[in-house]
Amino acid sequence: MSWQNFCDHSDTYKLVRSRNNQSYDVVMNVVSLAKRYRQARQSIMEDTHDVDANCDGPDLDFVYADVDSYQNEIAELYSYTEFSEFQMNVKAFEDQMELYDLPPNWQKQDAASQRSIVMKLIDQLEVSNRAFRMQAARCILYLAQGCWAEVQSDEEQHQNTRENVIVLYQLGVFSSFIDLLNMEIESACSPDIVAVKITNVTLVDSTDIRVILSVLYIITETIRNEREKASEDYKDMAEAFVQEINSPLPDGELLAVKLLGMITRFCSGAAPQFPMKKVVLLLWKVSLLGLGGMDVLKNLKNEYRIKVGLEPITEDTLEVTKCMRASSPPATATDILENQYPKKNFKRSLMKQRFLDEPEQIDMELTGNEGNPNSNGGGATGNNGSGNNGEDELSQYYRPFDDPSSSTTATASTTSTANPNNQPNLTQPPAPVAPVQITARLPWTPKVRQKDIDQFLDISRNKFIGYSLIGDHESLAGLPQPIHEGFNTLQRHMYTSLADMQIKKEEDIARNPISTHEDEIKLTPAEVLYQAILPNLPQYMIALLKVLLAASPTSKSKTESINIMADVLPKKMPLTATQSTKLTVDMGRHKEIIVKAVSAIILLYLKHFKINHVYQFEFMSQHLVFANCIPLVLKFFNQTITEYVNTKNSIPLLDFPSCVIGEQPDLSGDSFVYGGEMSDKPYSWRNVFSCINLLRILNKLIKWKHSRVMMLVVFKSAPILKKTLKVRHAMMQLYVLKLLKMQTKYLGRQWRKSNMKTMSAIYSKVRHRLNDDWAFGNDLESRPWDFQAEECTLRACVDRFNLRRYPEATQKCGAGGGGNNGTAAQNAENAQQSNMNVTGNGNNGGVGETNGYGGNGGGGGVNGGANAHNQQLHDYGVEGGFPSDEILTHSDFAFFGHSGWWDRKVELTDYFKANYAIWLEEEVYNSQTDWDAL
């Protein structure tokens, strides 16, 4: 080094020393930046879903609805292996027309002749000859399918179906086919058939019953679709049909209960030839039409709330999530740092503690009029100033949402319509927005429960005054002014649910059973269904979950106790590669349709029962939990969920009616094309629908149940749920984030620290509950307590409710009125006993699966054994499981006519008899009670 250079360095050194404070700030900034860089890299390494390439790309344009399009719903009724049977329907129709000396063309017949033919076919359905009877059934099926051999387009076929269904239903075909279904059920479950175990069940074994179920399904789905479209010519007929399916059949059973019974028999092995896909599809559509879909649920909820004096709900989850934007984490730590720490002066923004959206959207709020470095508009966007930065930050999480209760609705809707995708406008600057508009963009109105307000007052009183008032919800004497303001804020956001009012009413009845007036039970469709399924509800829930488990893509075929592929597998196995590929696609499609239908059924029942009465919902929920629904759903999501959502097991050329209308292409060699290559959508509608349904079911089972939240923690659900966030759909991500929010307080500080992106997503998208310390876990509810007692208390309340309102049905449920292996109470008990096991056979109680969760493990198998549970109960300090009639609790005295105790003979010991009089004299008669002191 030269002397001149040394002098220059010396001068520089003196200059640095003279500015010691500035030098220290620079060094600290460099150290802080390096530390944050390491933290960012560590966070990226630990948060597995943040570096996945599948997170990139546009949001899914999936729109959640009750059902898919009518054409898809009808096409999913048929398996690809049933293709040859379509020609059998045409042959049956032609033979019948020849028998009637009529031309084999339905469209050439006038209306009177068509009705006469249908009447003759109905009469033929009642003959004793099975072959002759089923020929008429196939002929009717051909008419319900729209006489596809006589048309040249799908539209003509649909119009024929629409017209023929009117004629078929008006002439009583639906009732006649219900009678045929009863005959098939009795025949399949007769002692002679049951004695001979059917092995290797194939498509041939369910030929007749599939014809019957297909006709019932087409009529039901067509009427449902026309009713949804408000068709005038279907209006009166649709109302009559809904009334019919909500009324008992001549044998006293509801159609939905009869179908649930078929599922139970199938799972028990009594009828392995039942075509499960068609059964669950028909059950789903019958329940959806009878109970009502999302619009009916929304109207019923507001109607019931107004009836009990509550305000109607103005926020709708489906509408709010349409305005949300799916989250997508950045790809690398370098991108995070470049966007988070640009080489310019900046000030921190509260909303910027997150790594949620696309890299080009992650920026810092710059001072002055500096432009957004990642904006497509460059300086043009920056010229708008920093006044809109807060709103731009919010728009990265969700699109503008119009709050119905806000006075700025008109302005918000205009903005949303003009720019629906929230894209930057490069031609003209956006209009200035009032600050209040930012609050209107929040996706949810914060809520607080009365319980939270009471806890806030209790803590405040003990802190500032040193006393507590039990049962006082309003007194603020002696509390400082900030506490008054906080209390007023909580009061403004207090939300009272319909369930809270129903529980309060039940508590009043239990406390004063004679003086408390109980309203007359209104026989709504949900009430009728609940009364019908109550005696055998545990078996029905176990059967549905067994079918769901067998159809789950994560289940192993060798461990399945039931064969749901009976109505897919042909009698002759495929010989060529094309046939094998087609069968593989068909089997995958078959499973997806079953998952879709079963998840929709369970969710529909849960939602309707919760609105009708919360204890009906809790009764069904408990039996789902006892049957291992929670680990089953987690097991379903323990897969590469993005692949499942994008998988399209479909061949459009083989879907009905394309497979029978027009010239048919050759499906061999290079002409064999998958549905995924022909579809314009990058996802499978039914798979996204199934995933959302299962997440909603999991949320309903776990919400406000801390013992069940702990099950999520025990089963290590956090990494499973985080992988689901890869699917870029706002509604699906919302329900995943809700599940993660429930358990964050139990996951520990280190998990929260290394998953700040997920925490920020929860903060920005999930509803805020005031006073909810979910992000820190400091409140009392995060501490361990007797989870067993919580479930026991809930079950005692539900049993008290059922025994008071439905004494006969409840006694049947407890006395084994189900015809399954053991009593209903035993089934529920056995199912509950396996909700945290790892091994078992799953034959009786609960859903069995010897496989766990793979690498995520944690005791998450879905099974039905009892040995491991006995150890679990011993750890909990409860040896005998949940309380049944064998355990007398205080709540047992709250209902009258409990045949389990009042009719029971109790043997008293000789010691008790000898000393009873002395005890009575000393402890009762001579004991003085100071009631004032009490």
Side-chain angles (χ1 to χ4, degrees):
M1 179 183 293
S2 65
W3 178 254
Q4 181 64 35
N5 290 339
F6 179 80
C7 292
D8 292 341
H9 280 282
S10 299
D11 294 338
T12 304
Y13 178 74
K14 294 177 183 179
L15 180 63
V16 170
R17 291 196 60 182
S18 66
R19 299 178 180 179
N20 185 47
N21 293 336
Q22 296 180 3
S23 175
Y24 178 79
D25 291 340
V26 171
V27 171
M28 292 306 298
N29 286 337
V30 172
V31 172
S32 176
L33 187 62
K35 181 179 179 181
R36 292 180 182 275
Y37 179 82
R38 289 194 300 269
Q39 290 179 349
R41 286 194 59 86
Q42 181 182 5
S43 179
I44 289 294
M45 295 292 291
E46 294 180 357
D47 215 349
T48 56
H49 77 272
D50 293 334
V51 295
D52 194 276
N54 293 330
C55 296
D56 299 329
D59 295 359
L60 300 184
D61 60 347
F62 172 85
V63 178
Y64 186 82
D66 287 320
V67 295
D68 200 355
S69 64
Y70 174 79
Q71 290 77 12
N72 290 341
E73 295 293 341
I74 292 295
E76 289 178 353
L77 175 65
Y78 309 102
S79 301
Y80 295 152
T81 49
E82 296 180 68
F83 174 77
S84 60
E85 297 185 10
F86 290 123
Q87 302 300 327
M88 297 171 61
N89 301 338
V90 180
K91 182 67 166 57
F93 175 75
E94 293 174 349
D95 292 344
Q96 287 296 127
M97 293 298 100
E98 183 179 354
L99 187 64
Y100 300 152
D101 293 330
L102 293 173
N105 193 312
W106 179 257
Q107 293 179 323
K108 292 183 179 179
Q109 309 294 330
D110 56 17
S113 177
Q114 289 178 353
R115 297 176 73 89
S116 174
I117 293 171
V118 173
M119 291 298 294
K120 293 178 181 178
L121 292 174
I122 292 175
D123 292 338
Q124 190 172 331
L125 291 176
E126 300 177 359
V127 301
S128 59
N129 188 319
R130 185 184 186 89
F132 202 47
R133 187 171 66 237
M134 293 312 300
Q135 180 173 334
R138 282 198 174 277
C139 186
I140 293 176
L141 175 58
Y142 174 72
L143 299 180
Q145 289 173 342
C147 303
W148 47 264
E150 305 172 15
V151 299
Q152 298 298 323
S153 67
D154 296 356
E155 290 75 14
E156 291 183 64
Q157 179 269 337
H158 175 51
Q159 183 61 27
N160 285 348
T161 296
R162 186 178 179 278
E163 295 172 355
N164 292 346
V165 165
I166 296 178
V167 177
L168 295 176
Y169 180 73
Q170 288 178 346
L171 296 179
V173 168
F174 191 84
S175 301
S176 299
F177 271 74
I178 292 293
D179 295 336
L180 282 180
L181 182 63
N182 287 331
M183 294 172 59
E184 290 295 328
I185 294 173
E186 293 175 3
S187 173
C189 300
S190 62
D192 297 336
I193 301 296
V194 174
V196 181
K197 288 293 182 180
I198 303 178
T199 58
N200 298 326
V201 182
T202 62
L203 200 66
V204 179
D205 299 309
S206 60
T207 302
D208 294 344
I209 197 168
R210 281 189 288 106
V211 172
I212 298 169
L213 291 171
S214 297
V215 172
L216 295 175
Y217 180 84
I218 292 173
I219 294 176
T220 303
E221 174 60 14
T222 303
I223 294 177
R224 186 209 60 78
N225 181 60
E226 296 297 330
R227 185 172 186 254
E228 187 179 274
K229 295 191 300 185
S231 301
E232 286 298 328
D233 49 351
Y234 265 83
K235 183 177 180 180
D236 295 336
M237 189 178 77
E239 296 303 323
F241 183 72
V242 171
Q243 185 68 27
E244 179 179 350
I245 61 178
N246 284 331
S247 303
L249 300 172
D251 58 0
E253 270 190 332
L254 289 176
L255 177 57
V257 176
K258 188 175 294 296
L259 295 172
L260 284 168
M262 292 180 66
I263 300 175
T264 305
R265 291 187 179 94
F266 173 82
C267 292
S268 66
Q273 72 273 28
F274 282 169
M276 267 303 99
K277 185 183 78 172
K278 287 182 170 54
V279 172
V280 295
L281 281 175
L282 179 59
L283 174 61
W284 173 31
K285 295 305 171 61
V286 166
S287 301
L288 180 61
L289 188 56
L291 297 175
M294 292 182 293
D295 294 336
V296 174
L297 281 165
K298 183 178 178 181
N299 296 333
L300 280 176
K301 187 172 186 178
N302 287 334
E303 177 186 337
Y304 291 168
R305 286 181 61 86
I306 294 173
K307 185 178 179 180
V308 296
L310 301 175
E311 295 182 357
I313 300 294
T314 56
E315 291 179 332
D316 183 65
T317 304
L318 300 180
E319 296 301 323
V320 173
T321 51
K322 288 178 183 178
C323 302
M324 284 186 178
R325 179 174 293 166
S327 301
S328 179
T332 64
T334 304
D335 293 336
I336 297 174
L337 293 171
E338 287 178 354
N339 287 283
Q340 189 175 3
Y341 302 102
K343 297 179 181 180
K344 297 179 182 179
N345 294 329
F346 64 91
K347 60 181 181 180
R348 254 183 212 281
S349 172
L350 179 61
M351 288 294 293
K352 286 305 173 182
Q353 191 183 0
R354 53 87 184 104
F355 310 104
L356 286 172
D357 270 324
E358 292 79 5
E360 62 268 20
Q361 292 177 334
I362 299 181
D363 50 38
M364 300 304 294
E365 186 177 354
L366 304 178
T367 57
N369 292 328
E370 307 243 340
N372 185 347
N374 292 324
S375 173
N376 293 331
T381 306
N383 292 335
N384 296 333
S386 60
N388 292 333
N389 283 340
E391 191 170 337
D392 293 338
E393 294 165 5
L394 291 174
S395 66
Q396 294 184 19
Y397 288 105
Y398 39 81
R399 301 181 180 91
F401 169 65
D402 303 336
D403 187 355
S405 61
S406 174
S407 60
T408 60
T409 302
T411 305
S413 62
T414 304
T415 305
S416 177
T417 305
N419 193 7
N421 294 324
N422 213 23
Q423 299 294 330
N425 191 344
L426 304 182
T427 59
Q428 59 181 1
V433 183
V436 70
Q437 190 68 15
I438 296 180
T439 60
R441 283 172 171 266
L442 291 174
W444 307 102
T445 302
K447 288 181 180 180
V448 64
R449 299 177 295 170
Q450 183 64 52
K451 173 184 175 182
D452 300 324
I453 298 180
D454 295 342
Q455 186 179 7
F456 172 76
L457 284 177
D458 191 52
I459 294 174
S460 301
R461 289 165 181 163
N462 286 323
K463 178 179 180 180
F464 292 101
I465 303 177
Y467 73 91
S468 59
L469 293 176
I470 305 300
D472 189 321
H473 307 300
E474 298 179 354
S475 177
L476 298 174
L479 297 176
Q481 184 61 29
I483 300 298
H484 289 227
E485 296 175 359
F487 175 77
N488 293 334
T489 302
L490 293 176
Q491 285 281 27
R492 286 197 306 270
H493 291 88
M494 190 181 75
Y495 173 78
T496 304
S497 66
L498 183 62
D500 293 336
M501 302 298 292
Q502 294 169 343
I503 291 174
K504 183 179 179 182
K505 180 72 172 179
E506 288 299 317
E507 290 175 349
D508 293 340
I509 294 175
R511 193 178 301 110
N512 304 302
I514 299 177
S515 60
T516 304
H517 172 70
E518 183 177 5
D519 299 333
E520 182 180 358
I521 301 176
K522 188 177 180 181
L523 292 179
T524 61
E527 181 68 30
V528 172
L529 177 64
Y530 182 77
Q531 294 183 16
I533 68 174
L534 177 59
N536 301 313
L537 189 140
Q539 292 96 307
Y540 296 153
M541 295 303 103
I542 292 174
L544 285 173
L545 293 182
K546 280 188 174 182
V547 173
L548 182 61
L549 173 65
S552 173
T554 55
S555 66
K556 301 297 185 293
S557 58
K558 62 181 180 180
T559 61
E560 292 177 3
S561 58
I562 56 177
N563 178 22
I564 60 171
M565 295 296 173
D567 49 334
V568 178
L569 297 176
K571 190 171 184 179
K572 295 182 180 180
M573 286 296 102
L575 300 177
T576 64
T578 300
Q579 293 175 346
S580 299
T581 305
K582 186 177 75 171
L583 181 60
T584 302
V585 172
D586 199 9
M587 293 173 67
R589 174 177 178 267
H590 184 80
K591 284 187 172 184
E592 293 173 359
I593 295 171
I594 289 179
V595 172
K596 167 188 171 182
V598 173
S599 62
I601 292 167
I602 296 175
L603 179 63
L604 187 69
Y605 286 1
L606 286 173
K607 292 183 71 67
H608 274 280
F609 288 158
K610 188 170 186 179
I611 292 178
N612 196 57
H613 199 288
V614 64
Y615 281 151
Q616 296 176 350
F617 161 80
E618 295 293 358
F619 186 62
M620 179 177 173
S621 298
Q622 277 207 325
H623 283 292
L624 285 172
V625 174
F626 295 164
N628 298 322
C629 183
I630 293 176
L632 171 56
V633 174
L634 293 178
K635 180 181 177 64
F636 178 89
F637 283 103
N638 189 32
Q639 57 175 315
T640 308
I641 200 66
T642 51
E643 292 183 4
Y644 181 76
V645 166
N646 296 330
T647 299
K648 297 177 185 176
N649 286 314
S650 61
I651 307 173
L653 294 176
L654 295 181
D655 286 339
F656 181 85
S658 300
C659 61
V660 291
I661 295 179
E663 184 179 354
Q664 297 304 308
D666 182 19
L667 290 179
S668 61
D670 298 335
S671 63
F672 188 83
V673 181
Y674 283 97
E677 301 173 10
M678 298 181 64
S679 174
D680 56 341
K681 294 182 179 180
Y683 60 88
S684 168
W685 194 97
R686 59 173 169 261
N687 290 351
V688 181
F689 179 76
S690 302
C691 291
I692 294 178
N693 284 345
L694 292 173
L695 289 170
R696 296 182 74 184
I697 291 169
L698 204 56
N699 269 280
K700 288 195 168 297
L701 295 181
I702 294 174
K703 188 176 182 180
W704 303 122
K705 305 291 190 305
H706 301 287
S707 59
R708 300 176 189 175
V709 173
M710 286 304 299
M711 291 181 67
L712 288 182
V713 179
V714 169
F715 293 141
K716 300 183 181 178
S717 64
I720 298 174
L721 293 172
K722 280 178 57 184
K723 288 193 298 183
T724 310
L725 290 175
K726 295 177 184 179
V727 180
R728 295 204 51 175
H729 187 263
M731 187 175 184
M732 185 183 296
Q733 290 183 349
L734 173 65
Y735 286 109
V736 173
L737 293 173
K738 283 185 176 183
L739 290 168
L740 289 171
K741 179 183 177 181
M742 295 177 192
Q743 53 181 319
T744 48
K745 65 178 69 173
Y746 304 106
L747 295 176
R749 181 180 177 184
Q750 184 60 38
W751 187 92
R752 294 192 291 269
K753 181 180 178 181
S754 60
N755 292 275
M756 286 306 299
K757 295 173 283 300
T758 304
M759 299 288 287
S760 299
I762 295 172
Y763 187 85
S764 63
K765 293 189 175 182
V766 182
R767 185 191 301 276
H768 290 263
R769 291 276 178 175
L770 303 182
N771 285 7
D772 185 7
D773 202 12
W774 64 271
F776 302 97
N778 296 325
D779 61 79
L780 297 176
E781 291 183 346
S782 65
R783 301 177 184 175
W785 71 88
D786 188 4
F787 298 127
Q788 195 83 357
E790 183 185 35
E791 292 287 351
C792 292
T793 303
L794 178 60
R795 177 168 176 176
C797 295
V798 172
D799 287 345
R800 180 172 64 237
F801 165 79
N802 284 332
L803 279 165
R804 192 188 76 253
R805 288 181 58 161
Y806 323 106
E808 295 182 2
T810 306
Q811 290 172 10
K812 289 180 181 178
C813 181
N820 203 0
N821 298 333
T823 65
Q826 290 169 347
N827 285 336
E829 188 81 9
N830 294 337
Q832 177 271 335
Q833 287 177 357
S834 61
N835 62 5
M836 297 180 74
N837 296 343
V838 184
T839 57
N841 53 24
N843 291 330
N844 188 20
V847 184
E849 177 74 19
T850 58
N851 209 19
Y853 285 114
N856 294 317
V862 191
N863 40 64
N867 295 332
H869 173 71
N870 293 335
Q871 180 62 37
Q872 172 206 344
L873 291 181
H874 180 73
D875 296 339
Y876 277 143
V878 180
E879 301 262 344
F882 284 112
S884 61
D885 280 347
E886 300 300 327
I887 302 176
L888 180 62
T889 63
H890 173 74
S891 60
D892 290 311
F893 292 102
F895 47 80
F896 299 94
H898 191 319
S899 60
W901 273 96
W902 306 126
D903 300 337
R904 184 172 300 179
K905 294 182 180 180
V906 180
E907 293 293 335
L908 303 176
T909 63
D910 295 336
Y911 178 81
F912 179 85
K913 294 176 183 178
N915 296 281
Y916 174 70
I918 300 174
W919 172 83
L920 196 63
E921 186 70 27
E922 293 179 354
E923 301 292 336
V924 180
Y925 296 148
N926 295 335
S927 177
Q928 300 298 326
T929 303
D930 188 354
W931 299 107
D932 294 332
L934 289 177

